[in-house]
Amino acid sequence: MNSSRCAACKHLRRRCPSDCIFSPYFPSNDPRRFAYVHKIYGASNVGKILHDLPVNLRAEAAESLFKEASYRIKYPVYGCVGQITMLHQQIQNAECQLARIRARIA
Amino acid sequence: MNSSRCAACKHLRRRCPSDCIFSPYFPSNDPRRFAYVHKIYGASNVGKILHDLPVNLRAEAAESLFKEASYRIKYPVYGCVGQITMLHQQIQNAECQLARIRARIA
């Protein structure tokens, strides 16, 4: 057991076991990171998602969960999906511009 | 209480109250829709997100939660965030093409 608990175990007010699933990805100096994923997914779902992945992919998964949770907290209706819709729109605009310029050249 | 339960109440094996928070957005003929958000967020987090929104925004929120959950189930490491990264890349490519064509014109 670590003498200093990770952000997740601090948040959950429990001891931080040496094999804590959260500890490598939710350091104690960034409590907001765990608070966000806890609020949106719940600790047990985050733990399950991390647990089901190979160890070398867990850091990236924790980061993407944090980003998604941040979007959902900032934009509770659309979350990440709003961002995707907006980017699709931008791509369509860029493609329209390209088509117009190509037509002008031709 | 409804005689036919919504997909959420069926999934949770409970009675579907007349003021069920899930019922309007998780119809019984689409059980996968609730199963997905339940797996990723948990019923209580989905209920909380919907509850905290004005009624007229809940359908869109349920839809975006379903889309995000679908991405996370399909791409457990990156979820929606992988899609956003890919779209950013596409926009950059389109902008590079535009810049090249404009330079050629000039």
Side-chain angles (χ1 to χ4, degrees), chain A residues 39-42 45 60-61 64-65 68 72 77-81 84 87 90-91 97-98 101-102 105, chain B residues 39-42 45 60-61 64-65 68 72 77-81 84 87 90-91 97-98 101-102 105:
Chain A
K39 183 179 164 68
I40 298 301
Y41 301 99
N45 288 321
E60 302 247 40
S64 73
L65 286 167
E68 269 188 52
R72 180 62 61 181
V77 181
Y78 297 106
C80 260
V81 175
I84 290 176
L87 291 171
Q90 273 188 39
I91 289 172
Q97 280 189 55
L98 263 173
I101 291 181
R102 281 190 176 129
I105 292 175
Chain B
K39 183 179 163 68
I40 298 301
Y41 301 100
N45 288 320
E60 302 247 41
S64 74
L65 286 166
E68 269 187 50
R72 179 63 61 181
V77 181
Y78 296 106
C80 261
V81 175
I84 289 176
L87 291 171
Q90 272 187 39
I91 289 172
Q97 279 189 55
L98 264 173
I101 292 181
R102 280 189 177 130
I105 293 173

Side-chain angles (χ1 to χ4, degrees), chain B:
Chain B
M1 192 162 58
N2 299 330
S3 63
S4 81
R5 295 176 295 168
C6 74
C9 291
K10 263 190 195 164
H11 191 102
L12 301 169
R13 293 162 192 266
R14 64 175 201 183
R15 293 189 171 184
C16 192
S18 59
D19 62 346
C20 176
I21 186 86
F22 302 112
S23 169
Y25 320 111
F26 297 97
S28 61
N29 63 358
D30 190 357
R32 196 189 58 149
R33 191 173 157 90
F34 184 77
Y36 275 27
V37 299
H38 182 253
K39 183 179 163 68
I40 298 301
Y41 301 100
S44 116
N45 288 320
V46 174
K48 255 188 265 165
I49 291 170
L50 294 177
H51 186 267
D52 290 348
L53 288 170
V55 174
N56 65 320
L57 294 175
R58 289 180 190 169
E60 302 247 41
E63 181 61 24
S64 74
L65 286 166
F66 168 62
K67 280 189 185 156
E68 269 187 50
S70 307
Y71 275 114
R72 179 63 61 181
I73 286 165
K74 197 168 176 190
Y75 309 109
V77 181
Y78 296 106
C80 261
V81 175
Q83 193 69 10
I84 289 176
T85 307
M86 198 198 71
L87 291 171
H88 273 298
Q89 189 57 52
Q90 272 187 39
I91 289 172
Q92 225 172 17
N93 290 347
E95 279 170 355
C96 280
Q97 279 189 55
L98 264 173
R100 266 203 305 274
I101 292 181
R102 280 189 177 130
R104 229 190 293 161
I105 293 173

Side-chain angles (χ1 to χ4, degrees), chain A residues 28-83:
Chain A
S28 60
N29 62 359
D30 190 357
R32 197 189 58 147
R33 190 173 158 90
F34 184 76
Y36 275 27
V37 299
H38 181 253
K39 183 179 164 68
I40 298 301
Y41 301 99
S44 116
N45 288 321
V46 174
K48 255 187 265 166
I49 291 171
L50 294 176
H51 186 266
D52 290 349
L53 288 170
V55 174
N56 64 320
L57 294 175
R58 290 180 189 169
E60 302 247 40
E63 180 61 23
S64 73
L65 286 167
F66 168 62
K67 280 189 186 156
E68 269 188 52
S70 307
Y71 275 115
R72 180 62 61 181
I73 286 165
K74 198 166 174 192
Y75 309 109
V77 181
Y78 297 106
C80 260
V81 175
Q83 193 68 11

